[in-house]
Amino acid sequence: MLAALAVGISILEIRFIQPANLRNVLLQMSIDGIVSCGLTLVILCGGLDLSVGAVTALSGVMFVIALPLGVGLAGLLALLAGASVGLINGLLIGRIKLNALIVTLGTMAAVQGTAFWLSRGNPIPGPGGDFEMLGGGAFLYIPLPILFFGLVALGGHLLLQDTQFGRDLYAIGGNREAARLADIAVESRECWAYVVCALLAAFSGMILASRLNTGSPIIGQDTPLQAIAAIVLGGTSLSGGRGGIVSTVIGMAIVAVLSNGLNLLNVPPAYQWAIKGFVLILVAGLDSARRHSPRPSTQTPSPRAS
């Protein structure tokens, strides 16, 4: 799908394959991609977090507001704010057993309102200079957001594949009751998944605020849509238990290429939203079809008695 989409857009608009544009595609997917990696952990254990976009906005606003205290302390406060939201989500969903959709919708509204209150509803300009390095700097000619995304994706992949925590998330998403009977700390693992997800959303908000040199309460509004579409496009099941970070990275690339191609083709923003919504419904339907399709039998038929 990714290859077909890239080839099709290249035929319609030759500017797509220019190095500067491909760099923009990587930058575009890196910030939302960091959020998608965190959200993948939550979805793998059968959860959902719609508050990631609001956490992105809140952390960006807090990062800019707290800059007089120093960049390091300001970043720490922004990350703590994100972790606090994740902890609240995790406790309410994992410990108290509230519905994930309702809880994260509620925290999304509360966090978004807090961001508007802190910023008085207006974008807060940053000081420029060193502040812009986090989102606009480079290391060995690699833009830092792309480098951060690569490190987060690699760390997330190793976490899921090579640690007990990652294997427990798959087990919880595959069969929660069986995981509990296997003596897995289901509530604790689920709570930590929400904390990690919110932390990465907060980090993404810091990068975006630095890149734009602005802390804005309205950034990240389409982040949940982009992240969930990327995760499901990559093959991670919304019911949990199947998927991974590599799949999410591929799905995020598809979403970024689609968004970039629509911009190059001068598709109006309203139509872009409609197309992305249709794609999300389509991939959700494909995910449902995969889950309900009969699996081929692996049993060897017994030989008949002669």
Side-chain angles (χ1 to χ4, degrees), residues 11 77 101 113 141 165 174-175 277 285 293:
I11 293 173
L77 290 174
L101 176 64
Y141 303 104
F165 176 80
N175 190 319
S293 61

Side-chain angles (χ1 to χ4, degrees), residues 37-38 40-42 44-45 155-173 179 184-197 200 245:
C37 288
T40 299
L41 304 183
V42 171
L44 277 177
C45 66
H157 176 70
L158 295 176
L159 178 72
L160 289 176
Q161 298 299 319
D162 298 332
T163 69
Q164 188 62 49
F165 176 80
R167 290 189 286 271
D168 288 349
L169 293 185
Y170 280 106
I172 294 168
I184 294 175
V186 174
E187 292 79 9
S188 176
R189 293 290 195 250
E190 192 172 31
C191 184
W192 276 109
Y194 279 97
V195 171
V196 173
C197 177
L200 291 179
I245 298 296

Side-chain angles (χ1 to χ4, degrees), residues 29-56:
M29 69 177 286
S30 63
I31 295 177
D32 283 340
I34 292 173
V35 179
S36 299
C37 288
L39 189 55
T40 299
L41 304 183
V42 171
I43 290 180
L44 277 177
C45 66
L48 184 65
D49 190 349
L50 298 179
S51 67
V52 288
V55 171
T56 298

